[in-house]
Amino acid sequence: MSVAPVDPSLDFESRATPGIRRLRPYDPGHDLVALRQRFGTDLLELGSNENPYGPSPAARDAMLGQLDALHRYPDPLGAGLKRALAATHGVDPAQILLGNGSHELLMQLAQVFAGAGDEVVFSQHGFAVFAIATRATGATARIVDALPRDAAMPLGHDLDAIADAITPATRLVYLANPNNPTGTWFGRVALEAFMTRVPTGVIVVMDEAYAEMADTDADCACALPQLATHPNLLLTRTFSKAYGLAGLRVGYLVGASGLVAVMERIRESFNVNGPALAACEAALGDTAHLQWASERNAEQRTALTDALRARGLAVLPSQTNFVLAEFGPGTAGIETALIERGVVLRPMGGYGLSEWLRITVGSADENRRLLAVLDEVLA
Ligand SMILES: *Cc1c(COP(=O)(O)O)cnc(C)c1O
């Protein structure tokens, strides 16, 4: 498969659009299927920011209730889930767009609003999908340096520099708050000040995949309260992280109803499946489970951060269910040694952070095992 085809009729690479030709697919980290085969239930998966507590039991029940209807197409509009989301966030159902994961929505935003000759602005060390979405459309990515190591929010988004990078060619700005893979965040006042600097013709996407896990006293800005004053601002959320439903692939966007209506034109028909619609609606109703899991996560995040720092590692502040830790020049060897012992973390070379590893905050038991194996490897 690795040999380049000699027959020009098989050269599909050169026939792809210019944006696609420059693209590399999203890198999910390790081959987890192979690792699961090798280690079985001993595999400790801390590489993909999944929720160790799982979804609400109500989500599972609601999903099972759909299994007799698998021969039917789902509700094409996802009206029930949209109504539930609208009630949760205090918006109109017409302001919500459902996606097969929020990854799909991030791609669709660039597809709808940017193209060749346009610019899309986002931060260095920003979520990997921003670059893929931008380049796929043929638009140019303007990547803004992250804040320096010694900043109050090391490697976080530099909102002033991002605003400075906006030009008449800018169509879209992607922000992630909190950001993956850094875990860093910015506050409400900073977002307000940023939005006053953004021309109304530029769409600002707030990827809030981890928003439900931020501490209430952490001042992690959410776009929701500012949607009414800034119709060019929107947010994306997901059921994959705090709700523990990564396997179902459901995300959503909240924004101006006019923006949603334009995006609906290219949404794939029935993009969210029936069992997923039912499960997410039920998960949304179980606020106690969400709160319980998020509190456990916050406790373990603090404990894990402290434990890693006690071992002399630099760990960035985080409001998510992962932490980014600096392992130095020996990172690749440490990572390999961890894999050999059945512990999966996420290497960060693709983000230009090859001396760091991203570690999902597991349950208390999982974190204990991680630290024990890490001590063995670092010794
Ligand atoms: C995990 C993640 C997403 C999305 O995930 P989906 O599973 O596609 O909903 C989006 N943005 C960030 C920053 C993430 O870390």
Side-chain angles (χ1 to χ4, degrees), residues 26 48-49 99-106 126-130 175-181 207-210 236-241 245-252 320-322 351 358:
Y26 178 78
S48 298
N49 303 341
N100 196 268
S102 56
H103 186 151
E104 178 180 74
L105 298 168
L106 296 169
F127 186 44
V129 169
F130 302 162
L175 307 174
N177 203 42
N179 181 51
N180 174 14
D207 176 346
E208 301 184 358
Y210 301 91
T236 60
R237 297 247 181 139
T238 179
F239 283 93
S240 299
K241 308 285 163 59
L245 288 167
L248 289 188
R249 313 302 308 124
V250 184
Y252 60 97
T320 64
N321 68 340
F322 60 84
Y351 281 96
R358 195 190 65 194

Side-chain angles (χ1 to χ4, degrees), residues 267-354:
R267 183 176 62 83
E268 286 172 29
S269 51
F270 313 106
N271 63 329
V272 182
N273 68 74
L277 287 172
C280 289
E281 197 176 330
L284 208 55
D286 191 351
T287 50
H289 180 82
L290 177 70
Q291 196 183 336
W292 173 83
S294 300
E295 279 169 11
R296 292 293 82 68
N297 174 65
E299 272 169 30
Q300 289 304 315
R301 178 175 65 214
T302 303
L304 180 62
T305 302
D306 291 348
L308 293 169
R309 285 182 179 153
R311 285 158 174 81
L313 301 167
V315 181
L316 295 190
S318 168
Q319 288 298 322
T320 64
N321 68 340
F322 60 84
V323 294
L324 189 66
E326 189 176 27
F327 288 82
T331 302
I334 293 168
E335 220 265 322
T336 307
L338 288 168
I339 288 281
E340 287 307 310
R341 290 162 175 79
V343 175
V344 183
L345 307 183
R346 180 65 71 91
M348 289 282 110
Y351 281 96
L353 294 164
S354 57

Side-chain angles (χ1 to χ4, degrees), residues 6-31:
V6 272
D7 180 351
S9 69
L10 294 178
D11 182 8
F12 296 103
E13 177 71 23
S14 71
R15 275 185 264 170
T17 59
I20 302 293
R21 284 207 293 272
R22 291 183 290 153
L23 219 52
R24 284 179 196 288
Y26 178 78
D27 174 11
H30 292 282
D31 182 350

